[in-house]
Amino acid sequence: MPAPTLRLVGATLSFDGTPLFEELTHAFPPGWTGLIGPNGHGKTSLLRTLSGAQRLSDGCVEGASAACLLLEQRLEAPPEGLDDFASAFHDGAPKLRARLKLEPDDAWRWETLSWGERQRWRLGTVLWQRPQVLLLDEPTNHLDGAGRALLARTLRAARLTGVVVSHDRAFLDAVCDATARLAFGAFDSLPLPCSAALEEWDRQDAAAQARRSDAQARLARAATALKDANRRATESSAQRSAGARMKSAHDHDARSMGANLAAANAEQAHRQSQRRAIQQHARAEQALATLAPPPRAVGSLTLRA
């Protein structure tokens, strides 16, 4: 059976009134997607939501089934099915044990295994069950470089829909063809391995910041132009009023009429300039408002190279 596409549809998850994500619609296609983001921003909760272990505040998950497995960051107890996997000689169990360098007899001494050995046994047991959807939370914890390489090759060979949370950039690059990030309530994704996705997000963020800086500069210029236009319009109106009050009784009517007309024309021109400046300022404000807010630094992402 082909691996399903896992979908979040209008998904919202909140804790104590604070949303981790809102109205999120996204499809996780067959293959591996790396999920990155700062600690405490909802990555584990998103995995639990996809598995059905965590109920959404709103929306739904499509494509999950009984063949969906979630491996959280707990290694104390042996995984269900460990004994069967350790003793099996069918359904690819020997090949999978060999790929992960697991000796069958070691499974019976779970309490004395290192954390790294437990991690490899746990992952091997789960993969042997051939889930259609596999969700992994920090699977490289406790693994050395050789163990991470074994795991990456094994996961890469699996034919399923997978989402993996990790801070190990090299591991994510080796396993995943797509990358998603969850930070500050915002979710976005790219069909790229982790390093390439981070470079593309940096480029997008820099371009967005440049557009925002340009819009802010245009607004500042428009504000200065509006201030000058207001000043000129006010001075023109004041000069015209002062001219009318200071008119001499001996002034020739034609000369007075000409002066008044010139003053009125000047005031009208300044008022037109003022209206244009107001319109330009409003357009500059609107242009800035339509831009996305500046990206927030994901300082605690701390991916390992």
Side-chain angles (χ1 to χ4, degrees), residues 122-171:
R122 187 177 71 142
L123 290 162
T125 300
V126 168
L127 287 170
W128 183 61
Q129 297 171 21
R130 297 186 178 179
Q132 290 181 291
V133 178
L134 181 56
L135 310 170
L136 302 177
D137 194 0
E138 298 288 358
T140 61
N141 283 356
H142 312 293
L143 293 178
D144 58 15
R148 291 195 296 271
L150 286 174
L151 177 60
R153 288 195 296 270
T154 304
L155 293 180
R156 187 71 182 178
R159 297 293 178 260
L160 46 71
T161 299
V163 182
V164 54
V165 170
S166 178
H167 286 78
D168 190 324
R169 184 185 304 190
F171 171 78

Side-chain angles (χ1 to χ4, degrees), residues 49-284:
T49 293
L50 291 171
S51 73
Q54 172 71 53
R55 292 187 60 183
L56 287 167
S57 305
D58 196 12
C60 65
V61 179
E62 297 178 351
S65 67
C68 174
L69 293 178
L70 167 65
L71 263 69
E72 299 185 89
Q73 299 182 54
R74 292 196 293 266
L75 293 171
E76 291 79 7
E80 185 177 348
L82 173 65
D83 293 349
D84 292 336
F85 171 57
S87 59
F89 285 91
H90 63 285
D91 291 338
K95 183 178 180 179
L96 185 54
R97 289 195 299 264
R99 178 173 284 173
L100 290 170
K101 295 188 176 181
L102 299 172
E103 295 294 335
D105 290 343
D106 290 344
W108 319 128
R109 58 177 189 88
W110 180 266
E111 296 301 326
T112 63
L113 293 178
S114 69
W115 292 111
E117 289 171 324
R118 292 186 185 190
Q119 188 76 287
R120 285 187 285 123
W121 272 108
R122 187 177 71 142
L123 290 162
T125 300
V126 168
L127 287 170
W128 183 61
Q129 297 171 21
R130 297 186 178 179
Q132 290 181 291
V133 178
L134 181 56
L135 310 170
L136 302 177
D137 194 0
E138 298 288 358
T140 61
N141 283 356
H142 312 293
L143 293 178
D144 58 15
R148 291 195 296 271
L150 286 174
L151 177 60
R153 288 195 296 270
T154 304
L155 293 180
R156 187 71 182 178
R159 297 293 178 260
L160 46 71
T161 299
V163 182
V164 54
V165 170
S166 178
H167 286 78
D168 190 324
R169 184 185 304 190
F171 171 78
L172 292 172
D173 283 340
V175 173
C176 303
D177 292 320
T179 305
R181 64 177 177 178
L182 179 61
F184 303 104
F187 178 95
D188 51 354
S189 67
L190 288 171
L192 296 170
C194 182
S195 292
L198 289 171
E199 290 177 2
E200 176 61 18
W201 277 319
D202 285 345
R203 187 196 66 77
Q204 292 178 3
D205 290 347
Q209 186 57 56
R211 289 192 296 271
R212 188 171 185 83
S213 296
D214 183 60
Q216 289 172 329
R218 288 198 301 271
L219 178 59
R221 291 194 296 270
T224 298
L226 177 58
K227 181 179 179 180
D228 291 342
N230 288 337
R231 177 182 53 78
R232 289 192 296 269
T234 300
E235 290 175 351
S236 177
S237 178
Q239 289 172 357
R240 183 184 178 196
S241 298
R245 291 194 303 270
M246 294 174 64
K247 178 182 176 182
S248 170
H250 301 289
D251 283 347
H252 191 275
D253 288 344
R255 185 172 61 184
S256 297
M257 290 176 61
N260 287 339
L261 181 60
N265 288 339
E267 183 180 10
Q268 183 179 14
H270 288 308
R271 290 298 180 190
Q272 289 175 345
S273 296
Q274 184 184 38
R275 285 192 291 272
R276 286 195 298 270
I278 291 172
Q279 292 170 352
Q280 291 171 353
H281 186 268
R283 285 195 294 268

Side-chain angles (χ1 to χ4, degrees), residues 282-302:
R283 285 195 294 268
E285 278 188 322
Q286 184 178 12
L288 181 59
T290 59
L291 295 177
R296 301 180 68 173
V298 188
S300 55
L301 189 52
T302 60

